[in-house]
Amino acid sequence: MSQPLRWGILSTAKIGRKYVIPAMQQAARTEIRAIASRNDDAARQAAQELGIPQAYGSYEALLADPEIDAVYNPLPNHLHLPWTVRALEAGKHVLCEKPLGLHAGEVRRLQEAAAQHPGLVLAEAFMYRHHPQWAYVIGQLRSGAIGRVQTVHAHFSYFNTEADNIRNKPEYGGGGLLDIGCYGVSSARWIMGREPQRVMALLVKDERYGTDRIASGLLDFGDATATFTAATAANLWQGLVITGDAGRIEIPVPFNPPADQAAVVRVFAKGDAAETQIPAANHFTRQAEHFARLVRGEAAPAIPLQESLANMQTLDALRESAETGRAVVMG
């Protein structure tokens, strides 16, 4: 139990090479032992660049390695289900990128697979949940700093129109709603501390690719509402505002604040304005450390699988609303 958790990385995806793997290599009780690609050369190049001891030219070979304890799955969305199941069947713990599946049915299948392997940990990689700015924000909300929450609005956008990018391929589960709209839904549900009663959405399709390049949603929590917009071909920007009956909280960079800079949270309450600097932190590093504690039974899940299912059910309902032009009642 004192040994580091030995990881294998499924794929040489950019998010892993550029952000997640270097951060995980800084995590306590964590060792990146292998990386796999469907191309031998790509695997060897990534392993050399990142200082990873072992490279595999197939995912199957990595899963067969008895020296690997856990797998990080950053594959395209449509491959989350099959390769996560195969990793569990190979006896590996799994940290799978968000969203956990393409729809709620896939998340249920992953729940069933995890239940068949009770000694293994399966978790969804919503990295923002591990940044300390959110612990501060949730603490402020639960203490009543801005009174009763009335509204939440989140915006998350980037500009990516590359034809070969997985985010622009509908068959891979591309599009704004699944890629970044999931953050708006997840954060709203966390802030409110409950599930929405009904949802409404509008998706603007990209004529070239057929993916949703703009996804805007409204979540009805009964006595409060949350709105979000996610866009894949717009100016790079994000922000989140929570308004209560006694003040508001602004998070300028809610979902991926720079790891080398202090995060900022602004609280406006009781006629005062306070700006708090949250010490710099890498949420990918903290996510890996949390996962290691999960494996050792030292922590409770930050996002239980039932919550991953609830988030996906909300995303499914938003898609249904966009398709039908009507509000969808939850539950």
Side-chain angles (χ1 to χ4, degrees), residues 31-99:
E31 180 183 354
I32 309 297
R33 292 290 296 271
I35 188 167
S37 171
R38 287 175 170 164
N39 179 289
D40 277 310
D41 291 339
R44 283 195 294 268
Q45 181 178 347
Q48 183 176 10
E49 290 175 357
L50 295 163
I52 298 173
Q54 182 65 53
Y56 288 111
S58 73
Y59 305 147
E60 292 89 348
L62 184 146
L63 295 183
D65 186 342
E67 299 298 311
I68 298 299
D69 304 313
V71 164
Y72 169 58
N73 181 354
L75 291 164
N77 293 338
H78 72 300
L79 296 178
H80 288 178
L81 170 65
W83 285 103
T84 294
V85 169
R86 293 186 68 167
L88 290 170
E89 291 174 345
K92 315 300 185 187
H93 306 284
V94 184
L95 177 65
C96 181
E97 263 305 326
K98 58 77 200 165

Side-chain angles (χ1 to χ4, degrees), residues 87-133:
L88 290 170
E89 291 174 345
K92 315 300 185 187
H93 306 284
V94 184
L95 177 65
C96 181
E97 263 305 326
K98 58 77 200 165
L100 205 52
L102 293 177
H103 50 75
E106 291 199 345
V107 178
R108 289 191 188 94
R109 289 173 62 187
L110 286 172
Q111 284 183 304
E112 294 167 359
Q116 293 171 4
H117 303 278
L120 298 176
V121 172
L122 168 60
E124 185 175 26
F126 254 126
M127 77 297 186
Y128 86 97
R129 289 281 187 110
H130 299 277
H131 196 283
Q133 73 171 348

Side-chain angles (χ1 to χ4, degrees), residues 17-237:
R17 297 194 326 273
K18 187 173 182 180
Y19 300 107
V20 185
I21 297 172
M24 291 176 69
Q25 289 173 321
Q26 302 302 312
R29 298 194 294 187
T30 298
E31 180 183 354
I32 309 297
R33 292 290 296 271
I35 188 167
S37 171
R38 287 175 170 164
N39 179 289
D40 277 310
D41 291 339
R44 283 195 294 268
Q45 181 178 347
Q48 183 176 10
E49 290 175 357
L50 295 163
I52 298 173
Q54 182 65 53
Y56 288 111
S58 73
Y59 305 147
E60 292 89 348
L62 184 146
L63 295 183
D65 186 342
E67 299 298 311
I68 298 299
D69 304 313
V71 164
Y72 169 58
N73 181 354
L75 291 164
N77 293 338
H78 72 300
L79 296 178
H80 288 178
L81 170 65
W83 285 103
T84 294
V85 169
R86 293 186 68 167
L88 290 170
E89 291 174 345
K92 315 300 185 187
H93 306 284
V94 184
L95 177 65
C96 181
E97 263 305 326
K98 58 77 200 165
L100 205 52
L102 293 177
H103 50 75
E106 291 199 345
V107 178
R108 289 191 188 94
R109 289 173 62 187
L110 286 172
Q111 284 183 304
E112 294 167 359
Q116 293 171 4
H117 303 278
L120 298 176
V121 172
L122 168 60
E124 185 175 26
F126 254 126
M127 77 297 186
Y128 86 97
R129 289 281 187 110
H130 299 277
H131 196 283
Q133 73 171 348
W134 276 98
Y136 176 77
V137 168
I138 296 299
Q140 290 290 302
L141 293 174
R142 303 299 185 252
S143 70
I146 63 169
R148 188 176 182 86
V149 174
Q150 305 289 315
T151 67
V152 177
H153 178 66
H155 181 98
F156 199 172
S157 60
Y158 57 76
F159 188 87
N160 184 328
T161 58
E162 299 169 0
D164 60 348
N165 191 281
I166 60 172
R167 291 164 183 80
N168 293 319
K169 294 182 179 293
E171 66 273 22
Y172 289 179
L177 183 63
L178 281 185
D179 188 42
I180 50 178
C182 59
Y183 289 100
V185 173
S186 172
S187 57
R189 294 175 46 259
W190 193 18
I191 289 164
M192 295 296 185
R194 58 192 189 277
E195 301 302 327
Q197 298 177 7
R198 60 176 181 154
V199 302
M200 290 162 273
L202 175 65
L203 303 183
V204 178
K205 293 295 182 73
D206 190 297
E207 295 179 355
R208 294 161 295 181
Y209 307 127
T211 53
D212 54 290
R213 61 179 177 82
I214 302 174
S216 293
L218 169 63
L219 283 61
D220 176 6
F221 288 91
D223 61 350
T225 64
T227 57
F228 72 89
T229 291
T232 65
N235 179 249
L236 177 67
W237 183 73

